[in-house]
Amino acid sequence: MSIAERLAAVEARVRAASTAADRPADDVAILLAVKTQPVGAVLDALLAGATILGHNRAQELVAGAAGLADAPAHEMHFIGHLQSNKVNQVLRHAGCVQTVDSARLADRLDRATARRRADGEAAGPLAVFVQVNTSGEEAKHGVRPEQAADLAATVGAADNLHLRGLMTVGAHSPDVGLVRASYERLTAVRDTLLAGGAPGTADARELSMGMSGDLEVAIAAGATMVRVGTAVFGQRPTG
Ligand SMILES: *Cc1c(COP(=O)(O)O)cnc(C)c1O
């Protein structure tokens, strides 16, 4: 199958899952996780109608950006662990950071965006998501669910950040019950956050969760954006 055909198949899965969950068919956005895909594959996906890309690594984001200069319009999100010393590099190419997991990183992003706005390089605040570790797995990044509201309030108070929602990487388990529980946890954290009414958090409705293997589970739990890699691009080149 071509990339266009695989993207169409993923779009059909997302529509079917949304309908099954009694949600509008166009309720859920699809972000393509680019990983190590060659720029030609990414271009194929954009030409086939993809509109949101996500990169995990600053180097790959920067290296890939040049090849997409003439590509159809798209949003670029950062979805990997972001080290403070890579913030400036990432902000040159990404309009949204989904992986804010500390007040320190939020502060770096706020100050870097302030500078970019002063220099005319950014038109407004940076869109961000707070990353929550909903599985309790040690290896995963993100704040604990009970810390999410505090970090969200810190982000909400930052002049140059616009909190759009929460992001999680679900439990890595063959037990679908565990995966579902981690996604439902993110939805519960979001609902508590919105009910709390802290300044700057009223727009934090998005739930970025679900991948190729479990997007139906995530959509049933309330995902508004799924992040898909292998289902569109095939297995990643190893290494
Ligand atoms: C790679 C990646 C995805 C996509 O995973 P697939 O299983 O390839 O669909 C989603 N989110 C993050 C953070 C990723 O790194």
Side-chain angles (χ1 to χ4, degrees):
M1 274 206 288
S2 67
I3 284 179
E5 287 166 329
R6 285 198 293 248
L7 178 60
V10 167
E11 288 167 349
R13 280 175 65 190
V14 168
R15 277 196 303 273
S18 302
T19 305
D22 281 327
R23 301 175 53 187
D26 60 354
D27 221 20
V28 181
I30 300 173
L31 173 150
L32 292 191
V34 172
K35 297 271 168 49
T36 54
Q37 293 302 324
V39 69
V42 180
L43 262 176
D44 282 350
L46 290 171
L47 291 168
T51 56
I52 313 174
L53 303 181
H55 262 291
N56 293 68
R57 291 173 180 275
Q59 306 90 285
E60 291 172 14
L61 170 66
V62 173
L68 297 178
D70 299 322
H74 58 276
E75 288 179 33
M76 182 64 81
H77 292 206
F78 193 76
I79 59 171
H81 184 61
L82 180 52
Q83 291 163 313
S84 298
N85 62 348
K86 300 281 169 60
V87 161
N88 288 322
Q89 253 178 308
V90 163
L91 293 192
R92 273 198 284 280
H93 302 287
C96 177
V97 173
Q98 293 203 1
T99 45
V100 176
D101 62 355
S102 70
R104 183 182 143 87
L105 177 58
D107 182 56
R108 290 286 177 117
L109 290 168
D110 182 47
R111 284 194 278 161
T113 304
R115 271 196 305 276
R116 292 175 55 77
R117 293 176 83 174
D119 294 344
E121 290 163 1
L126 176 72
V128 298
F129 290 54
V130 163
Q131 183 176 5
V132 183
N133 180 342
T134 53
S135 66
E137 290 167 22
E138 290 278 330
K140 293 233 162 82
H141 294 290
V143 292
R144 293 201 304 271
E146 58 274 21
Q147 300 170 316
D150 271 359
L151 181 55
T154 300
V155 171
D159 288 340
N160 301 287
L161 303 179
H162 179 205
L163 185 64
R164 296 264 317 274
L166 306 176
M167 177 271 202
T168 197
V169 179
H172 183 69
S173 168
D175 179 349
V176 71
L178 280 180
V179 177
R180 181 178 300 115
S182 67
Y183 291 149
E184 288 177 345
R185 200 162 291 137
L186 195 71
T187 303
V189 169
R190 192 266 324 259
D191 292 347
T192 304
L193 173 65
L194 290 178
T201 63
D203 292 341
R205 285 181 296 269
E206 302 270 350
L207 294 169
S208 172
M209 57 188 190
M211 310 197 292
S212 293
D214 61 15
L215 63 87
E216 284 84 1
V217 179
I219 290 170
T224 66
M225 184 182 295
V226 293
R227 306 181 308 268
V228 177
T230 46
V232 170
F233 293 119
Q235 290 299 326
R236 283 184 279 285
T238 48

